[in-house]
Amino acid sequence: MKKILYLLLLLGVAFSQPVQAQGFLKKMKQKAENAMNKVVGVDQDATADKAGEQTQPAKTPTVTDRIPKLRRTTVSWDGVVKPSTAANARALMSELPSLPSVSQIVNPTPEARETYYNRLVSIEMRIEELDDQQGCDDEELKVMRDKLYNELSGKLGLTPDEMKKLEDSNLSEAERARLEKKIQDAMLGGANPDDISAKAEKNEARLEQIEKRINELEKKEKKGTLTAADKQERESLQQEMIAMSQEMMQGMSGMMDMANSIGNVTAGINAEVAQLEQKLSAFADKVMAQRKGEPGVVKSCEQIASEYESQLQSIYDQIWAESDQDKVDALYDQADAIMKNYRTRAAKIYLNGLQLRLDNTKKLLSEAETLYADMASAQMIPKCVVGRMPLNIVTQCVDILNEAYTDFPQPTVLPVHRETFFKLEKGESLLWSESGFSGNLDDFTNNSILLIAKSNGIVNEYYKLENGTRVKLSSDGPFDFSVKKDGRNSEATQYGEWTSRSGKRKVVYTRDGSLTLHDGTTLYPMAVKASSDKIEFIIYDYSNDEFTKCTYKL
């Protein structure tokens, strides 16, 4: 049902190419759903939190989906940063920093990271300022929405008021289903694509049986063994095949009429901007492809890591069992040398992939500027949002640059002792967790909030951790998941550096939320606690759906 509204924009394109009867009948539904996902997905990406991306329920596309939403970047920096003074998206693009060098990834320093992240955050802050300055007031958006409602309502069998209902997030599922069924009936004349397709598939199976049997009889005829009964059977099968083929062609004719009708509705909505609609769809495909990554780009370095992991694990096991500080330092030195070798090899591959994605994303800027300016001239969107999509392209570049440090592929073996602190139940997954870049570990384990998704993908439940045990909250929220900059007590761990007792190794906790160990391994803990001989912190292990307590020896 969710595809119905978006048929008006893209289904005519989806069915414009001639196809064979069998392929048409089988793929009709698939084409509609693929078309529906194009433009709608371009500007509705939610910001991914460090705790993971939230899974949102499917949203019915609305008539205002042509207007891009402002994307929020994934970059974080818990400090004071001044926004850029760039005047537009193109000027912001020129301010983007270069990717870190291989050396900076292999041996990350807090100074280099601070400079890098300050630049990214400065650009993102300016993006929000420019969007506010260039944004639309409520009256402008209302005029555009009313224009679209009036264009579409009569052609979709709904009144403008009914169209507006579909944009109401509080609309009941029953009423939404009723309105979408009304659209389907108006556009498809009561025909049910699923029923016709199912019937066709059933006929196809029988036709295959008939064809197989006729072939067998023809072989008998060639051998001269065909009996009178065989001839009668063959004639009967041929008559059945003709009747079924005629029925399928009739169904095909009805389906083609329906597709042509949909195409006419699409063209009739705004004939002069049909070409722009196609360009918008093609542009949406490009943007989504960029977000998924480029073909051939290596993001995982598992094969390289596998060459080192067993050796690293052996050394780490010795570290956990060793109490002599000199021996611990010597073992860490061995492991660090191995990790440096891995990080050097992996960084070259990883950064090359990021650079390719960055270069190709930058190329989208000119197309976005031209396309959305043309759409505004054709009155498809209000002029006040013309600059938003170019700004979103800049945000996408910021996100790619952010991945250099945050998503660098680590081996599965980590230089810390790990133990399960809290494991989710089967069928559950973590959507959100309260955490702070300088939050105290005890605060997290005794007094923090989790949002957990159940296996049905619909029910999300809030829990509070109390002494390591979760307690379900009766309220539906919303709760405050923002960064707790100062923790909840005066003893909260602060950003900074810790040096091992020998003075040979250093651990750095920086304002982007990262904890970087001496070998360059970077993790994003939810809480940290430091003492004279060790650092303890909590991370979430998505592969096992559990919170893991990690200990690093100083």
Side-chain angles (χ1 to χ4, degrees), residues 59 62 164-173 176:
K59 173 182 177 294
T62 69
K164 292 176 182 178
K165 279 186 178 182
L166 287 170
E167 299 214 44
D168 184 358
S169 59
N170 296 319
L171 186 67
S172 69
E173 287 303 315
R176 186 176 299 278

Side-chain angles (χ1 to χ4, degrees), residues 107-123:
N107 301 294
T109 65
E111 295 78 16
R113 291 180 70 135
E114 179 171 357
T115 300
Y116 187 75
Y117 280 109
N118 280 353
R119 192 83 166 271
L120 295 181
V121 174
S122 172
I123 292 171

